[in-house]
Amino acid sequence: RFTIREKIRRGGFGVVYKAFDNVTGQYVVAKELIASGKADLDQIAKEISFLTSLTHPHIVDVKHVDSPSIASSSSTSGGGGGGGLNSSRNDDDFKVQIYMEWMSGGSLADVVKEAGHRLHESTIARYVKHALLGLRYLHEQNVLHRDIKPGNLLLGSDVVKIADFGISTVSNQGASMATTKTMGTPIYLAPEALRGKFSPATDIWALGCTICSIASGREPWHHLELREALPIMFHIGTAQPPDHHPRIPTQLSPAMQAIVQKCFAFDPDERPSAEELLEDPYFEFGPPPGELETFEDFHSQVGSSDCGGGGGGGGDPQLEDGGTMRTDVSSWSTVSPQYGATPPGGGTGDGR
């Protein structure tokens, strides 16, 4: 059914291809995941089965899934034939292919990179509202995304959709869940996520980081000048209020700055839900026109993005996708119950 056209990228959870659906005549995205053994395969199959049931205007639609049977020999039949990906077994490894709708505008990280500068708040407000609508739906379905970032928010012709559910999980009635695995992209992680504790509030924190990124053209925590995962995670896990969050871009309106500040509440129980944020007058009625940066000021300053008044910087945006990671924190020492796990100096991390 599907013909693979080209490889787009390789990430921490598989390879992504551009493909063509020979039934619908449309381009799709094919993501290939590797399951190591039956337990891993069963878990992936369980979560994908649930995710394929999700239908929402701001969630990327899953078109088809090829998942091998544990009893298969070398390959299984399915939609991957005729030039597509083969669902295959290699010893204890199993390949699972997920075919999703093609979003022609790329990710918000791509938008910033191609623009060569930060985005104006009028654009950001629309993008963030779409992301909140998607998050509200996910959280209502008890799904935690756990890797919200510009690279996982995709732009269509007139809509932003949440994508890449490679490390999402179904929570217990929307409650917090604990795990010995720290999953996600380090610069977008909430402090409690470093203890492996995820909840809808950790997705809200990541959305706040996303706003800072696309509003500055730089990564969250860029002012720390740290490029490795573990030092950044150490800082996030030990920083104390009011310096516990990334700098909020000062050119944002007071209303938007207040929203981002709420997303960065140190206590996850104090962060607003996606529903509560959508009820804010900012998203219900639109940004206050008198508070927005003028387009004249925007065009005169896009060559020097300023995140929180920390200095201008060069003309090229520094927003990158970070790199989704999966790190076992079960062996980390704990500084305090309040700040969670802190990696030892000699630890290692997988940036991809």
Side-chain angles (χ1 to χ4, degrees), residues 51-62 101 103 129-141 159-162 165 278:
L51 293 174
T52 53
S53 69
L54 300 177
T55 303
H56 190 270
H58 297 289
I59 301 295
V60 170
D61 186 31
V62 176
E101 67 176 309
M103 300 293 287
K129 183 173 183 177
H130 287 193
L132 282 170
L133 289 167
L135 275 178
R136 178 178 66 181
Y137 172 76
L138 288 179
H139 294 165
E140 288 173 348
Q141 306 304 310
V159 67
V160 168
K161 298 189 179 187
I162 299 175
F165 293 85
L278 285 168

Side-chain angles (χ1 to χ4, degrees), residues 113-135:
K113 183 177 180 180
E114 292 173 8
H117 53 71
R118 62 182 173 88
L119 303 183
H120 189 270
E121 186 172 340
S122 295
T123 301
I124 295 171
R126 183 169 178 272
Y127 288 172
V128 173
K129 183 173 183 177
H130 287 193
L132 282 170
L133 289 167
L135 275 178

Side-chain angles (χ1 to χ4, degrees), residues 36-299:
S36 300
K38 184 179 186 304
D40 198 12
L41 176 62
D42 289 345
Q43 179 63 26
I44 290 176
K46 179 181 178 181
E47 296 192 3
I48 288 177
S49 176
F50 181 82
L51 293 174
T52 53
S53 69
L54 300 177
T55 303
H56 190 270
H58 297 289
I59 301 295
V60 170
D61 186 31
V62 176
K63 302 291 188 181
H64 184 83
V65 176
D66 279 343
S67 180
S69 166
I70 206 72
S72 64
S73 55
S74 60
S75 65
T76 63
S77 60
L85 300 170
N86 292 320
S87 298
S88 63
R89 175 180 178 181
N90 180 14
D91 296 329
D92 292 329
D93 289 343
F94 298 83
K95 293 181 181 179
V96 180
Q97 290 83 40
I98 308 173
Y99 297 88
M100 299 166 286
E101 67 176 309
W102 176 262
M103 300 293 287
S104 59
S107 72
L108 298 195
D110 295 330
V111 172
V112 173
K113 183 177 180 180
E114 292 173 8
H117 53 71
R118 62 182 173 88
L119 303 183
H120 189 270
E121 186 172 340
S122 295
T123 301
I124 295 171
R126 183 169 178 272
Y127 288 172
V128 173
K129 183 173 183 177
H130 287 193
L132 282 170
L133 289 167
L135 275 178
R136 178 178 66 181
Y137 172 76
L138 288 179
H139 294 165
E140 288 173 348
Q141 306 304 310
N142 301 323
V143 175
L144 308 180
H145 189 281
R146 301 199 294 183
D147 200 20
I148 293 293
K149 60 183 178 180
N152 286 338
L153 298 178
L154 305 187
L155 179 64
S157 58
D158 62 349
V159 67
V160 168
K161 298 189 179 187
I162 299 175
D164 203 340
F165 293 85
I167 62 171
S168 64
T169 190
V170 181
S171 66
N172 181 17
Q173 300 299 317
S176 300
M177 60 165 294
T179 173
T180 59
K181 299 289 185 180
T182 290
M183 299 180 179
T185 304
I187 53 178
Y188 294 88
L189 288 175
E192 72 275 6
L194 294 179
R195 290 180 288 151
K197 187 176 182 180
F198 293 86
S199 69
T202 57
D203 284 343
I204 295 299
W205 173 285
L207 184 66
C209 292
T210 296
I211 296 172
C212 290
S213 293
I214 61 178
S216 67
R218 300 183 177 192
E219 300 173 341
W221 303 108
H222 71 275
H223 61 284
L224 299 179
E225 299 183 354
L226 300 174
R227 304 301 301 174
E228 299 298 326
L230 285 179
I232 292 175
M233 295 169 72
F234 183 93
H235 177 83
I236 297 172
T238 59
Q240 301 183 33
D243 300 319
H244 65 286
H245 60 75
R247 291 180 176 174
I248 301 175
T250 55
Q251 80 276 0
L252 290 175
S253 67
M256 177 60 98
Q257 290 188 49
I259 287 171
V260 178
Q261 194 73 50
K262 292 177 182 178
C263 294
F264 287 149
F266 187 75
D267 184 347
D269 292 334
E270 294 181 1
R271 290 175 212 150
S273 65
E275 173 67 30
E276 290 170 335
L277 287 174
L278 285 168
E279 292 174 351
D280 189 286
Y282 184 95
F283 294 112
E284 189 171 358
F285 303 110
E291 295 184 2
L292 291 181
E293 176 186 29
T294 67
F295 286 109
E296 289 78 9
D297 287 343
F298 171 73
H299 287 299

